[in-house]
Amino acid sequence: EAGVAQSPRYKIIEKRQSVAFWCNPISGHATLYWYQQILGQGPKLLIQFQNNGVVDDSQLPKDRFSAERLKGVDSTLKIQPAKLEDSAVYLCASSDQHTDTQYFGPGTRLTVL
Amino acid sequence: AQTVTQSQPEMSVQEAETVTLSCTYDTSESDYYLFWYKQPPSRQMILVIRQEAYKQQNATENRFSVNFQKAAKSFSLKISDSQLGDAAMYFCAYRSTSGSRLTFGEGTQLTVNP
């Protein structure tokens, strides 16, 4: 079974630029999560999708972050414009309705200069 | 809101020995889930073990076991016969039964010395 795929693995941008991350969950997993992990901290949930609908985006900075999950499969997380404090690892995870265990992708390390 | 605390930023253990990582949490709920995740340098979070709060029996997965003390809101991870491949950052996480969000602790960096 293929795991959660994410791209790119690394991204370096300057502040005020835009960036997008892509996630492909495990086949059949209805729930998809985006987490932000700042260096030295545990991951923090940004947004959760159930199929293509948003379940929880209470901790998403909506003035600069946006996410979508078209057709209930792949998802894209966008930051526009980026700030220095957005430097972090962005983790995508997915889970199925039976076990509800979250499986994580390898993450994208974003550096904002 | 639930909080998870890992009071040991770093731990070390000799290969083949046993180490225990600590975790405490705060919640007003009676039913919930607790997890330990491992994050090696590759950054991919790997589930180590899971515990349902309504189960009194401590979860075990091979060399990994937990000591779940519900009244004390404590959830420690014991790694027996430590191996070099166990070296990683370990995160304790909480999930309510009413939602899927994981709340993570700050992590404990485990070093395994040969």
Side-chain angles (χ1 to χ4, degrees):
Chain A
E1 179 183 76
V4 176
Q6 290 187 248
S7 66
R9 292 296 310 276
Y10 304 89
K11 189 72 176 179
I12 300 174
I13 62 172
E14 295 188 349
K15 59 183 179 182
R16 292 187 290 272
Q17 286 187 326
S18 301
V19 65
F21 313 125
W22 173 83
C23 173
N24 179 241
I26 292 173
S27 177
H29 281 194
T31 309
L32 185 146
Y33 313 80
W34 283 102
Y35 287 86
Q36 179 192 57
Q37 185 179 17
I38 294 173
L39 183 64
Q41 299 182 15
K44 180 186 77 173
L45 180 72
L46 291 175
I47 189 168
Q48 175 188 343
F49 292 94
Q50 180 76 20
N51 296 309
N52 60 354
V54 176
V55 173
D56 183 352
D57 64 356
S58 58
Q59 299 190 102
L60 185 74
K62 298 180 184 63
D63 58 335
R64 298 183 300 106
F65 286 66
S66 64
E68 61 182 7
R69 191 183 184 197
L70 300 177
K71 300 181 182 179
V73 181
D74 293 4
S75 178
T76 302
L77 176 69
K78 297 179 181 178
I79 307 175
Q80 179 180 7
K83 293 185 175 182
L84 296 177
E85 59 261 36
D86 298 332
S87 293
V89 174
Y90 291 84
L91 296 165
C92 180
S94 68
S95 66
D96 67 27
Q97 61 185 8
H98 303 296
T99 66
D100 212 17
T101 295
Q102 295 184 29
Y103 296 91
F104 285 79
T108 296
R109 181 181 294 279
L110 173 66
T111 302
V112 182
L113 303 176
Chain B
Q2 295 83 16
T3 59
V4 178
T5 302
Q6 294 179 247
S7 59
Q8 307 155 314
E10 298 177 349
M11 291 283 285
S12 63
V13 63
Q14 290 297 124
E15 195 175 4
E17 294 190 347
T18 296
V19 64
T20 299
L21 308 184
S22 300
C23 173
T24 59
Y25 57 94
D26 186 29
T27 183
S28 58
E29 300 177 328
S30 60
D31 199 14
Y32 45 86
Y33 300 93
L34 295 166
F35 305 83
W36 278 98
Y37 277 88
K38 168 185 177 181
Q39 187 176 41
S42 66
R43 299 198 305 266
Q44 186 147 8
M45 300 281 278
I46 302 165
L47 178 65
V48 175
I49 201 163
R50 161 192 172 122
Q51 174 81 42
E52 289 90 346
Y54 66 88
K55 291 185 177 179
Q56 294 186 341
Q57 185 173 4
N58 290 322
T60 299
E61 288 287 343
N62 301 312
R63 298 182 294 107
F64 299 86
S65 62
V66 298
N67 183 4
F68 174 48
Q69 302 289 328
K70 191 173 183 179
K73 296 180 181 176
S74 171
F75 183 61
S76 61
L77 175 69
K78 185 173 81 171
I79 306 174
S80 304
D81 187 24
S82 297
Q83 300 175 0
L84 295 178
D86 295 334
M89 182 73 84
Y90 286 80
F91 289 96
C92 177
Y94 172 102
R95 183 172 75 78
S96 168
T97 55
S98 61
S100 297
R101 174 194 305 202
L102 287 172
T103 300
F104 287 88
E106 297 291 313
T108 297
Q109 181 67 52
L110 177 66
T111 301
V112 181
N113 300 309

PDB file of all heavy atoms in Angstrom, chain B residues 25-53:
ATOM      1  N   TYR B  25      -0.995  14.844  30.360  1.00  0.00           N
ATOM      2  CA  TYR B  25      -1.961  15.576  29.553  1.00  0.00           C
ATOM      3  C   TYR B  25      -3.038  16.137  30.453  1.00  0.00           C
ATOM      4  O   TYR B  25      -3.201  15.711  31.605  1.00  0.00           O
ATOM      5  CB  TYR B  25      -2.552  14.661  28.473  1.00  0.00           C
ATOM      6  CG  TYR B  25      -3.209  13.425  29.027  1.00  0.00           C
ATOM      7  CD1 TYR B  25      -4.572  13.386  29.283  1.00  0.00           C
ATOM      8  CD2 TYR B  25      -2.454  12.297  29.327  1.00  0.00           C
ATOM      9  CE1 TYR B  25      -5.167  12.263  29.823  1.00  0.00           C
ATOM     10  CE2 TYR B  25      -3.036  11.162  29.868  1.00  0.00           C
ATOM     11  CZ  TYR B  25      -4.388  11.146  30.106  1.00  0.00           C
ATOM     12  OH  TYR B  25      -4.978  10.033  30.643  1.00  0.00           O
ATOM     13  N   ASP B  26      -3.748  17.077  29.926  1.00  0.00           N
ATOM     14  CA  ASP B  26      -4.824  17.706  30.679  1.00  0.00           C
ATOM     15  C   ASP B  26      -6.081  17.678  29.829  1.00  0.00           C
ATOM     16  O   ASP B  26      -6.068  18.132  28.680  1.00  0.00           O
ATOM     17  CB  ASP B  26      -4.465  19.156  31.032  1.00  0.00           C
ATOM     18  CG  ASP B  26      -5.494  19.791  31.949  1.00  0.00           C
ATOM     19  OD1 ASP B  26      -6.124  19.052  32.719  1.00  0.00           O
ATOM     20  OD2 ASP B  26      -5.665  21.011  31.887  1.00  0.00           O
ATOM     21  N   THR B  27      -7.148  17.134  30.376  1.00  0.00           N
ATOM     22  CA  THR B  27      -8.416  17.074  29.682  1.00  0.00           C
ATOM     23  C   THR B  27      -9.546  16.949  30.684  1.00  0.00           C
ATOM     24  O   THR B  27      -9.352  16.453  31.791  1.00  0.00           O
ATOM     25  CB  THR B  27      -8.452  15.887  28.704  1.00  0.00           C
ATOM     26  OG1 THR B  27      -9.685  15.904  27.987  1.00  0.00           O
ATOM     27  CG2 THR B  27      -8.325  14.563  29.439  1.00  0.00           C
ATOM     28  N   SER B  28     -10.717  17.380  30.274  1.00  0.00           N
ATOM     29  CA  SER B  28     -11.908  17.222  31.098  1.00  0.00           C
ATOM     30  C   SER B  28     -12.787  16.086  30.579  1.00  0.00           C
ATOM     31  O   SER B  28     -13.827  15.785  31.156  1.00  0.00           O
ATOM     32  CB  SER B  28     -12.714  18.527  31.119  1.00  0.00           C
ATOM     33  OG  SER B  28     -13.070  18.898  29.807  1.00  0.00           O
ATOM     34  N   GLU B  29     -12.329  15.462  29.510  1.00  0.00           N
ATOM     35  CA  GLU B  29     -13.099  14.384  28.913  1.00  0.00           C
ATOM     36  C   GLU B  29     -12.799  13.065  29.609  1.00  0.00           C
ATOM     37  O   GLU B  29     -11.733  12.875  30.192  1.00  0.00           O
ATOM     38  CB  GLU B  29     -12.778  14.285  27.420  1.00  0.00           C
ATOM     39  CG  GLU B  29     -13.117  15.565  26.659  1.00  0.00           C
ATOM     40  CD  GLU B  29     -12.739  15.482  25.201  1.00  0.00           C
ATOM     41  OE1 GLU B  29     -11.754  14.806  24.883  1.00  0.00           O
ATOM     42  OE2 GLU B  29     -13.449  16.104  24.386  1.00  0.00           O
ATOM     43  N   SER B  30     -13.733  12.142  29.508  1.00  0.00           N
ATOM     44  CA  SER B  30     -13.546  10.839  30.147  1.00  0.00           C
ATOM     45  C   SER B  30     -13.122   9.771  29.144  1.00  0.00           C
ATOM     46  O   SER B  30     -12.558   8.747  29.522  1.00  0.00           O
ATOM     47  CB  SER B  30     -14.837  10.405  30.839  1.00  0.00           C
ATOM     48  OG  SER B  30     -15.888  10.313  29.898  1.00  0.00           O
ATOM     49  N   ASP B  31     -13.404  10.034  27.880  1.00  0.00           N
ATOM     50  CA  ASP B  31     -13.038   9.068  26.855  1.00  0.00           C
ATOM     51  C   ASP B  31     -12.236   9.775  25.770  1.00  0.00           C
ATOM     52  O   ASP B  31     -12.644  10.840  25.281  1.00  0.00           O
ATOM     53  CB  ASP B  31     -14.285   8.406  26.267  1.00  0.00           C
ATOM     54  CG  ASP B  31     -13.950   7.107  25.565  1.00  0.00           C
ATOM     55  OD1 ASP B  31     -12.823   6.596  25.756  1.00  0.00           O
ATOM     56  OD2 ASP B  31     -14.803   6.601  24.825  1.00  0.00           O
ATOM     57  N   TYR B  32     -11.112   9.165  25.402  1.00  0.00           N
ATOM     58  CA  TYR B  32     -10.213   9.788  24.442  1.00  0.00           C
ATOM     59  C   TYR B  32      -9.188   8.753  24.005  1.00  0.00           C
ATOM     60  O   TYR B  32      -9.223   7.594  24.454  1.00  0.00           O
ATOM     61  CB  TYR B  32      -9.513  11.012  25.062  1.00  0.00           C
ATOM     62  CG  TYR B  32      -8.984  10.764  26.454  1.00  0.00           C
ATOM     63  CD1 TYR B  32      -7.718  10.212  26.665  1.00  0.00           C
ATOM     64  CD2 TYR B  32      -9.760  11.072  27.574  1.00  0.00           C
ATOM     65  CE1 TYR B  32      -7.248   9.972  27.938  1.00  0.00           C
ATOM     66  CE2 TYR B  32      -9.288  10.830  28.848  1.00  0.00           C
ATOM     67  CZ  TYR B  32      -8.040  10.286  29.041  1.00  0.00           C
ATOM     68  OH  TYR B  32      -7.571  10.055  30.309  1.00  0.00           O
ATOM     69  N   TYR B  33      -8.285   9.152  23.134  1.00  0.00           N
ATOM     70  CA  TYR B  33      -7.220   8.283  22.656  1.00  0.00           C
ATOM     71  C   TYR B  33      -5.874   8.958  22.913  1.00  0.00           C
ATOM     72  O   TYR B  33      -5.754  10.176  22.813  1.00  0.00           O
ATOM     73  CB  TYR B  33      -7.360   8.018  21.157  1.00  0.00           C
ATOM     74  CG  TYR B  33      -8.656   7.349  20.774  1.00  0.00           C
ATOM     75  CD1 TYR B  33      -9.762   8.104  20.393  1.00  0.00           C
ATOM     76  CD2 TYR B  33      -8.776   5.963  20.779  1.00  0.00           C
ATOM     77  CE1 TYR B  33     -10.950   7.497  20.033  1.00  0.00           C
ATOM     78  CE2 TYR B  33      -9.968   5.345  20.420  1.00  0.00           C
ATOM     79  CZ  TYR B  33     -11.045   6.121  20.051  1.00  0.00           C
ATOM     80  OH  TYR B  33     -12.225   5.514  19.703  1.00  0.00           O
ATOM     81  N   LEU B  34      -4.897   8.135  23.164  1.00  0.00           N
ATOM     82  CA  LEU B  34      -3.530   8.622  23.335  1.00  0.00           C
ATOM     83  C   LEU B  34      -2.606   7.852  22.398  1.00  0.00           C
ATOM     84  O   LEU B  34      -2.826   6.665  22.134  1.00  0.00           O
ATOM     85  CB  LEU B  34      -3.066   8.436  24.781  1.00  0.00           C
ATOM     86  CG  LEU B  34      -3.837   9.254  25.821  1.00  0.00           C
ATOM     87  CD1 LEU B  34      -3.549   8.742  27.220  1.00  0.00           C
ATOM     88  CD2 LEU B  34      -3.483  10.734  25.714  1.00  0.00           C
ATOM     89  N   PHE B  35      -1.591   8.539  21.898  1.00  0.00           N
ATOM     90  CA  PHE B  35      -0.677   7.952  20.929  1.00  0.00           C
ATOM     91  C   PHE B  35       0.763   8.319  21.267  1.00  0.00           C
ATOM     92  O   PHE B  35       1.032   9.362  21.854  1.00  0.00           O
ATOM     93  CB  PHE B  35      -0.967   8.491  19.512  1.00  0.00           C
ATOM     94  CG  PHE B  35      -2.377   8.312  19.044  1.00  0.00           C
ATOM     95  CD1 PHE B  35      -3.362   9.218  19.407  1.00  0.00           C
ATOM     96  CD2 PHE B  35      -2.722   7.255  18.222  1.00  0.00           C
ATOM     97  CE1 PHE B  35      -4.678   9.074  18.964  1.00  0.00           C
ATOM     98  CE2 PHE B  35      -4.024   7.098  17.776  1.00  0.00           C
ATOM     99  CZ  PHE B  35      -5.008   8.007  18.149  1.00  0.00           C
ATOM    100  N   TRP B  36       1.660   7.459  20.824  1.00  0.00           N
ATOM    101  CA  TRP B  36       3.068   7.810  20.727  1.00  0.00           C
ATOM    102  C   TRP B  36       3.467   7.681  19.261  1.00  0.00           C
ATOM    103  O   TRP B  36       3.214   6.645  18.641  1.00  0.00           O
ATOM    104  CB  TRP B  36       3.945   6.894  21.573  1.00  0.00           C
ATOM    105  CG  TRP B  36       3.990   7.275  23.018  1.00  0.00           C
ATOM    106  CD1 TRP B  36       3.260   6.744  24.040  1.00  0.00           C
ATOM    107  CD2 TRP B  36       4.820   8.282  23.604  1.00  0.00           C
ATOM    108  NE1 TRP B  36       3.584   7.366  25.219  1.00  0.00           N
ATOM    109  CE2 TRP B  36       4.538   8.311  24.987  1.00  0.00           C
ATOM    110  CE3 TRP B  36       5.786   9.174  23.103  1.00  0.00           C
ATOM    111  CZ2 TRP B  36       5.178   9.179  25.869  1.00  0.00           C
ATOM    112  CZ3 TRP B  36       6.417  10.035  23.972  1.00  0.00           C
ATOM    113  CH2 TRP B  36       6.115  10.035  25.345  1.00  0.00           C
ATOM    114  N   TYR B  37       4.070   8.757  18.754  1.00  0.00           N
ATOM    115  CA  TYR B  37       4.589   8.774  17.393  1.00  0.00           C
ATOM    116  C   TYR B  37       6.102   8.937  17.450  1.00  0.00           C
ATOM    117  O   TYR B  37       6.647   9.613  18.316  1.00  0.00           O
ATOM    118  CB  TYR B  37       4.005   9.943  16.584  1.00  0.00           C
ATOM    119  CG  TYR B  37       2.646   9.690  15.971  1.00  0.00           C
ATOM    120  CD1 TYR B  37       1.485   9.950  16.679  1.00  0.00           C
ATOM    121  CD2 TYR B  37       2.541   9.196  14.672  1.00  0.00           C
ATOM    122  CE1 TYR B  37       0.242   9.735  16.110  1.00  0.00           C
ATOM    123  CE2 TYR B  37       1.292   8.981  14.091  1.00  0.00           C
ATOM    124  CZ  TYR B  37       0.153   9.250  14.820  1.00  0.00           C
ATOM    125  OH  TYR B  37      -1.085   9.039  14.254  1.00  0.00           O
ATOM    126  N   LYS B  38       6.763   8.347  16.482  1.00  0.00           N
ATOM    127  CA  LYS B  38       8.219   8.447  16.337  1.00  0.00           C
ATOM    128  C   LYS B  38       8.507   9.256  15.083  1.00  0.00           C
ATOM    129  O   LYS B  38       7.894   9.031  14.036  1.00  0.00           O
ATOM    130  CB  LYS B  38       8.804   7.038  16.204  1.00  0.00           C
ATOM    131  CG  LYS B  38      10.248   6.953  15.774  1.00  0.00           C
ATOM    132  CD  LYS B  38      10.625   5.484  15.574  1.00  0.00           C
ATOM    133  CE  LYS B  38      12.043   5.338  15.073  1.00  0.00           C
ATOM    134  NZ  LYS B  38      12.406   3.908  14.855  1.00  0.00           N
ATOM    135  N   GLN B  39       9.444  10.207  15.185  1.00  0.00           N
ATOM    136  CA  GLN B  39       9.821  11.008  14.018  1.00  0.00           C
ATOM    137  C   GLN B  39      11.334  10.952  13.848  1.00  0.00           C
ATOM    138  O   GLN B  39      12.078  11.657  14.513  1.00  0.00           O
ATOM    139  CB  GLN B  39       9.354  12.455  14.157  1.00  0.00           C
ATOM    140  CG  GLN B  39       9.568  13.285  12.894  1.00  0.00           C
ATOM    141  CD  GLN B  39       9.021  14.699  13.016  1.00  0.00           C
ATOM    142  OE1 GLN B  39       9.162  15.342  14.044  1.00  0.00           O
ATOM    143  NE2 GLN B  39       8.381  15.189  11.950  1.00  0.00           N
ATOM    144  N   PRO B  40      11.814  10.110  12.937  1.00  0.00           N
ATOM    145  CA  PRO B  40      13.264  10.049  12.661  1.00  0.00           C
ATOM    146  C   PRO B  40      13.693  11.273  11.865  1.00  0.00           C
ATOM    147  O   PRO B  40      12.844  12.102  11.496  1.00  0.00           O
ATOM    148  CB  PRO B  40      13.392   8.758  11.837  1.00  0.00           C
ATOM    149  CG  PRO B  40      12.049   8.541  11.227  1.00  0.00           C
ATOM    150  CD  PRO B  40      11.044   9.148  12.156  1.00  0.00           C
ATOM    151  N   PRO B  41      14.977  11.399  11.584  1.00  0.00           N
ATOM    152  CA  PRO B  41      15.452  12.558  10.811  1.00  0.00           C
ATOM    153  C   PRO B  41      14.786  12.711   9.452  1.00  0.00           C
ATOM    154  O   PRO B  41      14.756  13.805   8.902  1.00  0.00           O
ATOM    155  CB  PRO B  41      16.948  12.283  10.672  1.00  0.00           C
ATOM    156  CG  PRO B  41      17.277  11.488  11.885  1.00  0.00           C
ATOM    157  CD  PRO B  41      16.081  10.600  12.115  1.00  0.00           C
ATOM    158  N   SER B  42      14.236  11.654   8.921  1.00  0.00           N
ATOM    159  CA  SER B  42      13.522  11.743   7.636  1.00  0.00           C
ATOM    160  C   SER B  42      12.234  12.557   7.758  1.00  0.00           C
ATOM    161  O   SER B  42      11.611  12.885   6.748  1.00  0.00           O
ATOM    162  CB  SER B  42      13.184  10.349   7.125  1.00  0.00           C
ATOM    163  OG  SER B  42      12.249   9.723   7.993  1.00  0.00           O
ATOM    164  N   ARG B  43      11.835  12.859   8.960  1.00  0.00           N
ATOM    165  CA  ARG B  43      10.669  13.709   9.289  1.00  0.00           C
ATOM    166  C   ARG B  43       9.333  12.986   9.245  1.00  0.00           C
ATOM    167  O   ARG B  43       8.324  13.533   9.669  1.00  0.00           O
ATOM    168  CB  ARG B  43      10.579  14.938   8.373  1.00  0.00           C
ATOM    169  CG  ARG B  43      11.734  15.866   8.422  1.00  0.00           C
ATOM    170  CD  ARG B  43      11.336  17.219   7.829  1.00  0.00           C
ATOM    171  NE  ARG B  43      10.795  17.092   6.482  1.00  0.00           N
ATOM    172  CZ  ARG B  43      11.528  17.225   5.382  1.00  0.00           C
ATOM    173  NH1 ARG B  43      12.818  17.436   5.492  1.00  0.00           N
ATOM    174  NH2 ARG B  43      10.971  17.121   4.193  1.00  0.00           N
ATOM    175  N   GLN B  44       9.287  11.775   8.721  1.00  0.00           N
ATOM    176  CA  GLN B  44       8.000  11.105   8.619  1.00  0.00           C
ATOM    177  C   GLN B  44       7.551  10.595   9.982  1.00  0.00           C
ATOM    178  O   GLN B  44       8.265   9.856  10.650  1.00  0.00           O
ATOM    179  CB  GLN B  44       8.081   9.938   7.642  1.00  0.00           C
ATOM    180  CG  GLN B  44       6.741   9.293   7.381  1.00  0.00           C
ATOM    181  CD  GLN B  44       6.636   8.774   5.974  1.00  0.00           C
ATOM    182  OE1 GLN B  44       7.605   8.757   5.231  1.00  0.00           O
ATOM    183  NE2 GLN B  44       5.454   8.326   5.596  1.00  0.00           N
ATOM    184  N   MET B  45       6.378  10.996  10.403  1.00  0.00           N
ATOM    185  CA  MET B  45       5.816  10.569  11.689  1.00  0.00           C
ATOM    186  C   MET B  45       5.317   9.136  11.549  1.00  0.00           C
ATOM    187  O   MET B  45       4.512   8.836  10.663  1.00  0.00           O
ATOM    188  CB  MET B  45       4.658  11.481  12.081  1.00  0.00           C
ATOM    189  CG  MET B  45       5.025  12.931  12.240  1.00  0.00           C
ATOM    190  SD  MET B  45       5.827  13.250  13.804  1.00  0.00           S
ATOM    191  CE  MET B  45       4.414  13.393  14.865  1.00  0.00           C
ATOM    192  N   ILE B  46       5.760   8.292  12.466  1.00  0.00           N
ATOM    193  CA  ILE B  46       5.395   6.879  12.425  1.00  0.00           C
ATOM    194  C   ILE B  46       4.680   6.526  13.721  1.00  0.00           C
ATOM    195  O   ILE B  46       5.200   6.783  14.815  1.00  0.00           O
ATOM    196  CB  ILE B  46       6.648   6.000  12.277  1.00  0.00           C
ATOM    197  CG1 ILE B  46       7.403   6.388  10.996  1.00  0.00           C
ATOM    198  CG2 ILE B  46       6.281   4.516  12.258  1.00  0.00           C
ATOM    199  CD1 ILE B  46       8.807   5.844  10.938  1.00  0.00           C
ATOM    200  N   LEU B  47       3.499   5.931  13.606  1.00  0.00           N
ATOM    201  CA  LEU B  47       2.757   5.548  14.802  1.00  0.00           C
ATOM    202  C   LEU B  47       3.470   4.399  15.509  1.00  0.00           C
ATOM    203  O   LEU B  47       3.784   3.376  14.896  1.00  0.00           O
ATOM    204  CB  LEU B  47       1.339   5.125  14.429  1.00  0.00           C
ATOM    205  CG  LEU B  47       0.466   4.655  15.586  1.00  0.00           C
ATOM    206  CD1 LEU B  47       0.199   5.803  16.558  1.00  0.00           C
ATOM    207  CD2 LEU B  47      -0.843   4.083  15.075  1.00  0.00           C
ATOM    208  N   VAL B  48       3.714   4.567  16.802  1.00  0.00           N
ATOM    209  CA  VAL B  48       4.374   3.539  17.602  1.00  0.00           C
ATOM    210  C   VAL B  48       3.340   2.713  18.356  1.00  0.00           C
ATOM    211  O   VAL B  48       3.367   1.478  18.331  1.00  0.00           O
ATOM    212  CB  VAL B  48       5.362   4.184  18.604  1.00  0.00           C
ATOM    213  CG1 VAL B  48       5.951   3.115  19.534  1.00  0.00           C
ATOM    214  CG2 VAL B  48       6.466   4.914  17.871  1.00  0.00           C
ATOM    215  N   ILE B  49       2.423   3.401  19.023  1.00  0.00           N
ATOM    216  CA  ILE B  49       1.464   2.698  19.868  1.00  0.00           C
ATOM    217  C   ILE B  49       0.266   3.596  20.139  1.00  0.00           C
ATOM    218  O   ILE B  49       0.378   4.816  20.116  1.00  0.00           O
ATOM    219  CB  ILE B  49       2.161   2.246  21.179  1.00  0.00           C
ATOM    220  CG1 ILE B  49       1.416   1.100  21.849  1.00  0.00           C
ATOM    221  CG2 ILE B  49       2.354   3.426  22.120  1.00  0.00           C
ATOM    222  CD1 ILE B  49       2.259   0.370  22.881  1.00  0.00           C
ATOM    223  N   ARG B  50      -0.866   2.958  20.395  1.00  0.00           N
ATOM    224  CA  ARG B  50      -2.130   3.677  20.592  1.00  0.00           C
ATOM    225  C   ARG B  50      -2.837   3.100  21.800  1.00  0.00           C
ATOM    226  O   ARG B  50      -2.805   1.881  22.024  1.00  0.00           O
ATOM    227  CB  ARG B  50      -2.966   3.500  19.326  1.00  0.00           C
ATOM    228  CG  ARG B  50      -4.443   3.768  19.429  1.00  0.00           C
ATOM    229  CD  ARG B  50      -5.156   3.264  18.178  1.00  0.00           C
ATOM    230  NE  ARG B  50      -6.593   3.328  18.307  1.00  0.00           N
ATOM    231  CZ  ARG B  50      -7.374   4.002  17.489  1.00  0.00           C
ATOM    232  NH1 ARG B  50      -6.854   4.685  16.489  1.00  0.00           N
ATOM    233  NH2 ARG B  50      -8.675   4.020  17.658  1.00  0.00           N
ATOM    234  N   GLN B  51      -3.489   3.960  22.571  1.00  0.00           N
ATOM    235  CA  GLN B  51      -4.202   3.531  23.779  1.00  0.00           C
ATOM    236  C   GLN B  51      -5.578   4.187  23.813  1.00  0.00           C
ATOM    237  O   GLN B  51      -5.685   5.406  23.663  1.00  0.00           O
ATOM    238  CB  GLN B  51      -3.406   3.932  25.028  1.00  0.00           C
ATOM    239  CG  GLN B  51      -4.090   3.678  26.354  1.00  0.00           C
ATOM    240  CD  GLN B  51      -3.973   2.252  26.828  1.00  0.00           C
ATOM    241  OE1 GLN B  51      -2.922   1.631  26.729  1.00  0.00           O
ATOM    242  NE2 GLN B  51      -5.048   1.707  27.361  1.00  0.00           N
ATOM    243  N   GLU B  52      -6.607   3.384  24.010  1.00  0.00           N
ATOM    244  CA  GLU B  52      -7.943   3.935  24.229  1.00  0.00           C
ATOM    245  C   GLU B  52      -8.146   4.140  25.724  1.00  0.00           C
ATOM    246  O   GLU B  52      -7.851   3.239  26.513  1.00  0.00           O
ATOM    247  CB  GLU B  52      -9.018   2.985  23.693  1.00  0.00           C
ATOM    248  CG  GLU B  52      -9.065   2.906  22.184  1.00  0.00           C
ATOM    249  CD  GLU B  52      -8.180   1.823  21.611  1.00  0.00           C
ATOM    250  OE1 GLU B  52      -7.324   1.297  22.348  1.00  0.00           O
ATOM    251  OE2 GLU B  52      -8.323   1.514  20.426  1.00  0.00           O
ATOM    252  N   ALA B  53      -8.644   5.278  26.104  1.00  0.00           N
ATOM    253  CA  ALA B  53      -8.757   5.611  27.529  1.00  0.00           C
ATOM    254  C   ALA B  53      -9.707   4.700  28.275  1.00  0.00           C
ATOM    255  O   ALA B  53      -9.556   4.494  29.486  1.00  0.00           O
ATOM    256  CB  ALA B  53      -9.183   7.067  27.685  1.00  0.00           C
TER     257      ALA B  53
END
